[in-house]
Amino acid sequence: MDEKNSSFVKTKYTGINKVLKINSLQVLIDRWYDGTFKEFFDDWKWIFSFSKKYKWVIVFYTILGIFGSTLSLGASWVSKILINIIVEKQYQNLWFLIVVMVLSTVFSLVISSVLSRIGLKISIYVNNDIQSNIFGKIIDAEWKELNRYPNGDLLNRFSSDTSTVAGNAIGWIPNLIISVYSFTATFCLLFKTDPNMAWIALGSAPFLLIASRFIMRRMREYKKRVLEMNSGMMSFEVETFYNFDMIKSFGVAGATEKRLKRWQNKYREYNLDYNKFEIKANIGVSLISTAVTMLAFGYCLWRLWTGQIQYGDMTFFLQQRSVLTGRFNSLVGTVPGMVSSAISAHRIRELVELPKEKHDLKSLEVISKQAEKGLTVTMSDVTFAYNEEKTVYEHGNFVARSGEIVAVLGPSGEGKTTMLRLLLGLIHPSQGSVTISDADGNKVDMNADLRRMFSYVPQGNSIMAGTIADNMRLVNEDATDEQIITALKTACAWEFIGVQPDGIYARVGERGAGLSEGQAQRIAIARALLRDAPIILLDEATSALDTDTEKRVLDNILYNCPNKTCIVSTHRKSILRHCKRVYFISNKQAQEFNMKPTEEIPEEET
């Protein structure tokens, strides 16, 4: 593995962290030195903005946690006294102490359960708040900016990072306060009872933490390698099953099985290495922990032997030493949670703060008034580039009017889909304009709100798991069954749906499993027609249809939707007989052909 791209690049520790070697602490130190510490606070200010409406719940949660810790400590103290009473056979306060211990234990359990319940409920509420808050902002981000992020990364930020933030937005400060209180109260009680034992307990806590850091860090590295290997193996398996037809058709099942065995061998080796280190690590941690425990145990035995303490005191000391170590680790553990949440919040904020789409509701109101009479879409003197190295259009022009089917042809990669994105306002020209005008001559610049005037059928399979009716109602929730069937008939889809026992309520699988590509395309066209928008965009939407079905679909659109403006991006010349005009895209220009007998379309599109 290339060291530069390795997931296991060693962290460079500085200052006191050379001894502690805590990754999360190093993040804070690095941010302090590189001047980005303010970003850390800004991330947490953003997190707290979701916590404000739950502030009284946070206060209640904190008070309940402190009360629960106090009860737990009190129960341990009562337990010590009970043991001493039994050993010394002093029974006068026995039953009273038993009742106190039982009640405090019950109360501790109740409080612990209530805290767990409150923490989970509020975490879910905050998670939903954050997701609902950022979902619309992500959807409303500029298409070009949003597409810099892979889909998997977007999903990970939306789900995993949101969950991390939600888990700490409510609980981090209360847990920090409760941990500080519990640690301080335990140490003070030990110190009051036996200062030496308190210092032994306090000293062993950071010693155990430092000693175990190296082991735990190596274990995380091993675990990460195993998880990454498991992820790679799972991806291979998913791709294999997804491309099962191709594998069977080429007769390469044997070669695929060999690849699987290679993955399995690597996975086995990684797991066995991890298991070996885990065994060694557990032995090492156990030996260190046992050594510290024996030190404390020896000290208690000596004090018991010399009559300085009673047996109950000894059990209390040993128990609270372990508790103090746990409280210390819990207190230190709040730092990684704080850093992890800030990092996740920063990743979410990157999406939330992306440039937003252009909106203009007034322009929508103007165009909507005459939309039924038909609309004209115009691209005038447009220059557009995705980046400095890739200019797609230079002074490009295009027009599609009401009642027309206009075809857009061109070699792959020349800009057919880019044109549709420009017309939809997903991307914007650096020069020139994209406008919509109505029958009265009102003209407005394209923006996100005007997208309601479009019905769009993208390339590829866009059918989702569920019923056919569910897929249709994605664009019109209130559509009746009759309206859905009418749209399906126009798209020539009813001929295969109507013969099914469940009709429009027949179920389809993920990505339209159970449908042919041509059937999926006809349903997608019907869905666009059900939206009943004045402008229809078909991006290679008839590529899987035979020429007869394609002709019937387009004829139906012209007959049933006479005022629609229909723009078709295609590679097929068969569609041209239905088109009023044709644009051929090449060399960063859109050249118009008027379909005269003497004018031929370039041969690149055969």
Side-chain angles (χ1 to χ4, degrees):
M1 182 181 293
D2 184 359
E3 186 177 349
K4 184 178 179 181
N5 299 322
S6 172
S7 300
F8 315 111
V9 178
K10 291 184 178 180
T11 302
K12 183 179 179 181
Y13 299 109
T14 57
I16 191 174
N17 210 28
K18 288 181 179 179
V19 179
L20 298 176
K21 294 186 177 181
I22 302 173
N23 291 339
S24 53
L25 179 59
Q26 190 60 46
V27 172
L28 295 179
I29 294 172
D30 292 342
R31 288 199 171 196
W32 178 268
Y33 283 112
D34 64 19
T36 59
F37 203 72
K38 183 179 180 299
E39 291 182 4
F40 179 82
F41 284 104
D42 289 340
D43 293 331
W44 265 99
K45 281 171 62 179
W46 182 81
I47 293 173
F48 287 144
S49 69
F50 293 95
S51 309
K52 286 181 180 178
K53 64 178 174 179
Y54 303 108
K55 58 184 177 182
W56 295 115
V57 177
I58 294 174
V59 171
F60 176 72
Y61 184 96
T62 305
I63 293 173
L64 203 61
I66 291 174
F67 184 61
S69 296
T70 304
L71 281 178
S72 178
L73 195 59
S76 299
W77 183 263
V78 172
S79 176
K80 180 199 82 162
I81 297 174
L82 273 175
I83 293 172
N84 288 337
I85 286 174
I86 293 172
V87 171
E88 298 295 327
K89 297 182 180 180
Q90 300 171 357
Y91 303 125
Q92 60 271 25
N93 296 319
L94 179 61
W95 289 109
F96 173 75
L97 291 173
I98 288 175
V99 171
V100 171
M101 189 178 74
V102 169
L103 289 176
S104 62
T105 302
V106 170
F107 280 133
S108 294
L109 288 173
V110 170
I111 290 172
S112 175
S113 301
V114 171
L115 285 175
S116 175
R117 181 69 174 175
I118 292 174
L120 178 61
K121 288 181 69 174
I122 301 303
S123 176
I124 292 173
Y125 290 148
V126 174
N127 186 78
N128 291 343
D129 280 352
I130 296 174
Q131 285 193 336
S132 61
N133 178 274
I134 69 175
F135 183 77
K137 294 180 180 178
I138 293 174
I139 295 296
D140 194 42
E142 281 282 358
W143 181 91
K144 189 176 176 182
E145 295 295 325
L146 191 60
N147 272 266
R148 293 190 294 108
Y149 298 88
N151 289 336
D153 184 41
L154 287 175
L155 184 60
N156 192 37
R157 292 175 189 236
F158 184 71
S159 56
S160 180
D161 285 323
T162 300
S163 178
T164 299
V165 170
N168 285 287
I170 297 298
W172 182 73
I173 287 184
N175 289 335
L176 177 63
I177 294 172
I178 293 168
S179 295
V180 169
Y181 169 79
S182 300
F183 176 80
T184 305
T186 303
F187 177 78
C188 289
L189 187 60
L190 273 175
F191 189 85
K192 182 179 180 181
T193 308
D194 189 321
N196 291 332
M197 190 62 204
W199 289 118
I200 290 174
L202 183 63
S204 66
F207 176 76
L208 280 172
L209 180 68
I210 294 170
S212 64
R213 275 294 168 181
F214 168 76
I215 295 173
M216 296 308 295
R217 187 172 66 255
R218 289 290 305 276
M219 285 183 70
R220 282 197 298 270
E221 292 173 357
Y222 272 103
K223 185 65 176 177
K224 188 174 182 179
R225 290 179 63 187
V226 170
L227 289 174
E228 288 182 352
M229 178 59 63
N230 187 41
S231 178
M233 185 173 170
M234 187 175 295
S235 296
F236 167 76
E237 292 168 351
V238 170
E239 287 182 348
T240 299
F241 287 121
Y242 185 79
N243 296 290
F244 207 55
D245 290 348
M246 181 272 290
I247 291 170
K248 290 176 71 69
S249 299
F250 278 103
V252 292
T256 305
E257 187 176 352
K258 288 180 182 178
R259 289 183 63 196
L260 175 62
K261 287 181 179 179
R262 287 197 294 270
W263 275 106
Q264 288 176 329
N265 289 336
K266 290 180 182 178
Y267 184 68
R268 183 187 66 246
E269 291 173 7
Y270 277 28
N271 266 289
L272 290 176
D273 286 346
Y274 173 59
N275 178 256
K276 184 188 294 184
F277 182 80
E278 192 174 32
I279 291 171
K280 292 179 180 178
N282 287 335
I283 292 173
V285 171
S286 296
L287 289 175
I288 294 172
S289 180
T290 301
V292 173
T293 301
M294 292 304 296
L295 174 65
F297 186 63
Y299 174 76
C300 288
L301 282 178
W302 173 74
R303 296 211 64 198
L304 183 65
W305 179 265
T306 56
Q308 298 178 54
I309 61 172
Q310 296 177 297
Y311 186 74
D313 300 324
M314 176 179 170
T315 57
F316 175 77
F317 289 153
L318 293 176
Q319 180 192 40
Q320 293 308 307
R321 186 208 65 80
S322 177
V323 169
L324 194 67
T325 301
R327 301 296 188 195
F328 181 83
N329 290 338
S330 177
L331 190 57
V332 173
T334 59
V335 176
M338 177 181 63
V339 172
S340 177
S341 294
I343 292 171
S344 291
H346 195 79
R347 282 165 50 83
I348 296 171
R349 287 178 62 206
E350 282 183 355
L351 300 181
V352 172
E353 294 170 2
L354 287 175
K356 303 306 174 191
E357 291 195 297
K358 298 176 182 177
H359 291 269
D360 187 355
L361 284 173
K362 187 176 180 180
S363 66
L364 177 63
E365 293 174 5
V366 170
I367 289 297
S368 297
K369 292 176 182 178
Q370 300 294 327
E372 291 184 359
K373 296 180 181 180
L375 300 176
T376 298
V377 185
T378 306
M379 196 172 82
S380 303
D381 194 34
V382 165
T383 297
F384 174 79
Y386 285 106
N387 50 57
E388 294 180 359
E389 292 79 24
K390 187 179 180 182
T391 299
V392 184
Y393 285 105
E394 286 183 349
H395 310 292
N397 296 283
F398 172 87
V399 62
R401 300 181 179 89
S402 172
E404 293 183 342
I405 295 181
V406 180
V408 180
L409 290 85
S412 295
E414 285 294 318
K416 296 189 299 298
T417 299
T418 297
M419 177 182 282
L420 299 189
R421 289 172 182 161
L422 284 164
L423 298 180
L424 285 166
L426 294 172
I427 52 180
H428 307 285
S430 57
Q431 179 181 320
S433 63
V434 177
T435 60
I436 297 179
S437 55
D438 61 19
D440 292 341
N442 296 307
K443 181 184 291 187
V444 293
D445 289 329
M446 185 60 200
N447 60 75
D449 291 320
L450 288 174
R451 220 169 282 149
R452 301 182 196 180
M453 297 292 104
F454 288 81
S455 289
Y456 176 48
V457 183
Q459 291 186 40
N461 192 325
S462 58
I463 304 301
M464 299 182 179
T467 66
I468 293 170
D470 291 337
N471 274 274
M472 296 291 289
R473 290 193 172 104
L474 282 173
V475 298
N476 186 350
E477 294 181 0
D478 301 323
T480 65
D481 289 1
E482 291 73 19
Q483 289 173 319
I484 291 174
I485 292 171
T486 299
L488 290 168
K489 287 179 178 178
T490 303
C492 298
W494 183 246
E495 57 194 48
F496 65 86
I497 294 174
V499 298
Q500 297 189 47
D502 296 325
I504 62 173
Y505 292 98
R507 300 193 68 82
V508 294
E510 185 178 348
R511 295 179 61 84
L515 299 171
S516 70
E517 190 174 348
Q519 289 173 334
Q521 282 190 341
R522 280 182 274 177
I523 293 175
I525 293 171
R527 182 169 58 193
L529 295 174
L530 182 65
R531 182 177 173 87
D532 196 28
I535 306 166
I536 302 174
L537 299 183
L538 305 178
D539 191 0
E540 299 285 359
T542 62
S543 60
L545 304 184
D546 58 75
T547 54
D548 177 62
T549 304
E550 179 184 69
K551 178 180 181 303
R552 288 190 291 124
V553 169
L554 294 174
D555 285 345
N556 288 346
I557 291 175
L558 285 173
Y559 180 78
N560 295 319
C561 313
N563 290 328
K564 301 287 187 187
T565 303
C566 187
I567 303 168
V568 183
S569 164
T570 182
H571 279 82
R572 301 175 66 174
K573 282 191 174 182
S574 59
I575 204 172
L576 301 184
R577 70 188 74 171
H578 304 279
C579 299
K580 185 72 173 285
R581 285 175 300 109
V582 176
Y583 284 86
F584 184 80
I585 299 176
S586 181
N587 298 321
K588 305 175 185 177
Q589 295 291 325
Q591 183 180 359
E592 182 180 355
F593 291 83
N594 294 315
M595 301 305 295
K596 297 177 182 177
T598 58
E599 196 166 23
E600 294 184 0
I601 301 298
E603 288 299 318
E604 286 90 336
E605 290 306 311
T606 55

